[in-house]
Amino acid sequence: MTSLQERLFAMQDKQYAAFQAKLTPGVPVESFIGIRVPVLRKFAKEFTKEAECEDFLHQLPHEYYDENMLHGLLISEVKDYEECIRLTEKFLPFVDNWAVCDIMSPKVFAKHKEELLAKIKTWSKSPHVYKTALLPGRTTRPSRRPSRATESRSSRRNICGH
């Protein structure tokens, strides 16, 4: 077990792991540590300041679902557009479920919509269902209440297949 995995297991909620496993068919039950998303988000913000973060982003594939969730959250925090695209493209082949797909919402994409659209067109041709959850207009996590932007996107093809 890596030192990062030990830290992740210290945040484990076994009941939440069982719950997540039921919501995520096709992902082996033993791959769930069971870290609640708000706890993982807080950890991700702190982890970005550590030297180990850079190494983690280059260690693929990950053993645990929660590591993939962390990876998605870390990519979402990258401020350099080119670096974010590079890390996203490296990670996408390992995204194998909706939760990991949907947690990725890089803030930097909001400032690069034209360049992003070209990438999205490339990603949309992939045979992988979960290539990314990023839509041409999606630059933040979706809200529970649909906005006009959400309504206008409803006719667009979601790259993840939603």
Side-chain angles (χ1 to χ4, degrees):
M1 184 176 290
T2 68
S3 63
L4 175 60
Q5 288 171 341
E6 288 175 2
R7 292 169 70 187
L8 295 175
F9 271 95
M11 297 179 272
Q12 182 180 43
D13 178 334
K14 291 181 181 181
Q15 288 180 320
Y16 188 68
F19 172 72
Q20 282 297 106
K22 289 178 187 174
L23 295 177
T24 318
V27 178
V29 174
E30 61 275 4
S31 73
F32 290 89
I33 297 172
I35 306 169
R36 293 183 179 272
V37 173
V39 173
L40 195 58
R41 280 187 197 284
K42 182 179 177 186
F43 178 81
K45 293 248 187 220
E46 296 167 8
F47 191 60
T48 60
K49 301 170 190 167
E50 299 179 25
E52 189 179 357
C53 179
E54 185 71 24
D55 293 336
F56 173 75
L57 287 171
H58 297 288
Q59 297 168 352
L60 289 166
H62 298 303
E63 185 175 351
Y64 295 99
Y65 160 90
D66 303 74
E67 289 176 302
N68 283 333
M69 293 288 284
L70 175 60
H71 199 121
L73 288 168
L74 294 172
I75 288 173
S76 296
E77 295 298 319
V78 174
K79 293 176 177 31
D80 178 79
Y81 175 76
E82 293 299 328
E83 176 69 1
C84 190
I85 287 291
R86 190 181 64 71
L87 290 169
T88 299
E89 288 185 328
K90 185 176 179 187
F91 183 54
L92 288 178
F94 302 99
V95 175
D96 63 355
N97 64 77
W98 292 116
V100 173
C101 181
D102 286 348
I103 205 153
M104 294 174 52
S105 185
K107 296 174 184 98
V108 71
F109 285 2
K111 297 176 184 172
H112 298 273
K113 291 180 182 178
E114 290 299 316
E115 300 106 312
L116 181 60
L117 184 55
K119 289 291 181 187
I120 289 172
K121 287 178 181 178
T122 301
W123 296 336
S124 69
K125 295 175 185 171
S126 170
H128 301 285
V129 175
Y130 302 105
K131 260 304 191 182
T132 185
L134 301 172
L135 295 169
R138 181 175 168 195
T139 56
T140 59
R141 288 190 313 274
S143 64
R144 293 189 185 269
R145 185 174 177 202
S147 66
R148 289 180 198 241
T150 303
E151 291 168 7
S152 68
R153 289 192 311 254
S154 65
S155 61
R156 295 181 191 170
R157 182 183 184 283
N158 182 325
I159 296 166
C160 264
H162 291 70

